[in-house]
Amino acid sequence: MQNFHGSHTKLNEINYFTAIEKGELTAVKNQLDLGVNINLTDANKRSGILIATDNHHFEMVKLFLNLGADVNIASDEIDNTPIMIASVKGYVDIVRLLIEQSNPDMTILNGYGGTALIPACEKGHVEVVRLLLEQTNVSVNHVNIPGWTALLEAIVLSDGGINQQEIVKLLLEYGANKNIADKNNVLPIEHARENGFTELVHILS
């Protein structure tokens, strides 16, 4: 009896993760009703809500939040929590949902030792950056393993365009320290100058 129960549980878990990947809401609900733990993780320590976020399945994320899923289980991957993935990928709708309906831990760092804010700045996701700064307690001056703040990444790894200009303005407005240099003691304004980002030089002056 024990064995049958064990294999049955395993099958439910496999079906559960398959249903999440396929975005099948009803099937996921059914598996949870059958007793699958909502915070169960796969081989890479990815929880259901994390996979749903990664796949940009808004309704699935909503379902998990409504049923009380833990949003702060970190996977083994570089972008390791739902808020991290949604911020990196620029999923504004999911970032907003996570902030409004749960309590994402903004101190959990990614594989580069950075907060969710840093890659969002690098990738030019203006609205995500705005939400994180306005509605979470994310550290604006956190320095990651490569030695970069959100402000440095918004300049060094960008094209200096309109989105980046908007992001740099937002960062400064929310207390970004423009005197934190990188590991080679190069300041944000010097990077902007070197890259020929005249608008950013102007904003940082």
Side-chain angles (χ1 to χ4, degrees):
M1 185 68 185
Q2 193 56 46
N3 258 357
F4 171 75
H5 182 70
S7 60
H8 193 61
T9 305
K10 199 80 203 139
L11 186 65
N12 285 352
E13 290 175 3
I14 292 164
N15 290 342
Y16 169 71
F17 282 115
T18 304
I20 296 167
E21 286 288 2
K22 289 183 175 172
E24 294 169 350
L25 278 172
T26 312
V28 170
K29 275 184 201 156
N30 289 344
Q31 294 304 326
L32 291 169
D33 288 343
L34 287 169
V36 171
N37 180 345
I38 196 165
N39 294 318
L40 180 75
T41 57
D42 68 9
N44 299 317
K45 278 179 66 183
R46 301 185 314 153
S47 63
I49 192 167
L50 186 139
I51 296 166
T53 300
D54 201 14
N55 293 337
H56 200 183
H57 200 303
F58 184 82
E59 290 304 322
M60 184 82 73
V61 174
K62 211 167 170 179
L63 170 74
F64 279 118
L65 288 173
N66 289 342
L67 296 175
D70 185 344
V71 297
N72 297 318
I73 297 169
S75 75
D76 292 334
E77 308 201 328
I78 285 177
D79 300 315
N80 50 10
T81 62
I83 193 86
M84 192 73 75
I85 288 173
S87 299
V88 170
K89 295 196 167 185
Y91 299 158
V92 186
D93 52 351
I94 293 182
V95 170
R96 186 178 288 112
L97 185 69
L98 288 166
I99 292 170
E100 286 174 358
Q101 293 195 20
S102 68
N103 189 18
D105 182 350
M106 302 309 293
T107 65
I108 295 174
L109 305 177
N110 63 15
Y112 301 111
T115 62
L117 180 65
I118 296 179
C121 289
E122 174 213 324
K123 294 183 183 301
H125 300 319
V126 182
E127 289 315 309
V128 170
V129 170
R130 194 189 309 278
L131 278 169
L132 295 179
L133 289 170
E134 282 179 0
Q135 296 184 34
T136 77
N137 60 351
V138 71
S139 166
V140 72
N141 290 312
H142 177 84
V143 180
N144 65 11
I145 294 164
W148 290 338
T149 57
L151 183 59
L152 279 162
E153 285 221 4
I155 298 161
V156 180
L157 299 175
S158 83
D159 60 1
I162 299 290
N163 285 3
Q164 302 306 134
Q165 292 162 29
E166 196 57 39
I167 284 170
V168 168
K169 283 180 195 164
L170 277 168
L171 289 170
L172 293 173
E173 188 187 324
Y174 280 87
N177 183 347
K178 54 186 181 181
N179 297 315
I180 298 176
D182 66 14
K183 282 182 174 173
N184 301 315
N185 286 322
V186 182
L187 289 165
I189 194 164
E190 293 170 327
H191 277 291
R193 214 172 269 130
E194 276 171 27
N195 290 338
F197 299 157
T198 40
E199 270 307 313
L200 287 182
V201 172
H202 179 68
I203 294 163
L204 291 160
S205 294

